[in-house]
Amino acid sequence: VIIAICAVVLGVTLAQGSDGLKNTFLERCQKFKGYNCEEVWDVFQKAYVNQDPCKVPTEAYDPLVASAPIEPSCNRAMFWSKTKDVVHDFTGKTDCFVTVEDSLLGSVLDGLTWCGKEGSSETLTTGCPDWNTCPDNPVGSFWKRISAAFADAACGNVTAMLNGSITEPFNSRSIFASIEVTRFKSPRMKNLNVVLVMDEKAGTNCTDESLNNLQKQLDEGIKYNCKEVPQSQIEECSSRPEKTCGSCWT
Ligand code: N1C
């Protein structure tokens, strides 16, 4: 009896988990006009269901990205690494920049966990492998693929908010360094403006060795610029959107 109860409880939890994920996906997707969200969901699921969750490569999401492409964004693209909260606080309150989470796919999947398993057509939301367990996991491969598409769509003046309170604001293992920066191409892209977000325990500044590496890795022709900005000032800019966008801290 106990085993039977456990099995039912587990079954219900798993079912709720994946229903919950689908509902969240569809609810968030409805906010974007002109898409068939059920169809986008089907294409999404095909990337990982019925597969070993450690063997989902980035290419598995090619059809998904093709079904809801990232629009080119000139002079408004915002990249980030280890500064997610401050960036989204800012982009949520102002209409200055767009991040990948403002795109349909980035928005519907932000903060979610999913995977499949061999021999099943289910979507699981618990027990999925993380980045440390295996590199080709369904969530990691999705962010790598969509980040590549977002970097390909960036043009003109591009902004990146990096974390000035850690020792390596430009970390070669980050998606920003390993995927996005390598796809920044001149002449489509003109400038990379790094905003180094500083708090009291400033770990580094714009002369940081890792930022020198960033500058060196940039495609020739892309101008680089770095500015240290206190986090409090960015928060102030978020709460006073009448101050014009980037010029709030430049
Ligand atoms: O590895 P990161 O940062 O450098 O990746 C951030 C970089 C941004 O510029 C985004 O364009 O890559 C893109 N990106 C996301 O938009 C995103 N949303 C949510 C990458 N990862 C994203 N996530 C989750 O945050 C993802 O699940 C992964 O685990 C983290 C990566 O954040 P990071 O290490 O701060």
Side-chain angles (χ1 to χ4, degrees), residues 19 34 41 56 68 82 108 118 135 152 162 208 215 235:
D19 276 3
W41 167 261
V56 175
K82 309 289 183 285
V108 295
E118 276 180 303
D152 288 341
L162 304 182
D208 187 273
Q215 197 171 352
E235 283 160 2

Side-chain angles (χ1 to χ4, degrees), residues 70 119 155 183 228 243 246:
I70 301 259
C155 99
R183 302 177 85 106
E228 294 150 23
K243 290 212 172 185

Side-chain angles (χ1 to χ4, degrees), residues 166-193:
I166 57 179
T167 50
E168 228 188 333
F170 183 67
N171 182 316
S172 59
R173 288 178 308 279
S174 67
I175 292 187
F176 178 63
S178 63
I179 310 260
E180 294 175 329
V181 168
T182 60
R183 302 177 85 106
F184 289 167
K185 288 286 176 289
S186 173
R188 173 173 50 87
M189 190 170 145
K190 307 274 181 242
N191 296 282
L192 176 66
N193 301 314

Side-chain angles (χ1 to χ4, degrees), residues 20 37 58 72 82 90 105 113 120 148 162 171 206 211 221 227 239 250:
C37 293
T58 55
K82 309 289 183 285
F90 183 75
L105 293 175
T113 302
S120 156
L162 304 182
N171 182 316
C206 279
L211 294 173
K227 176 141 195 192
S239 60
T250 49

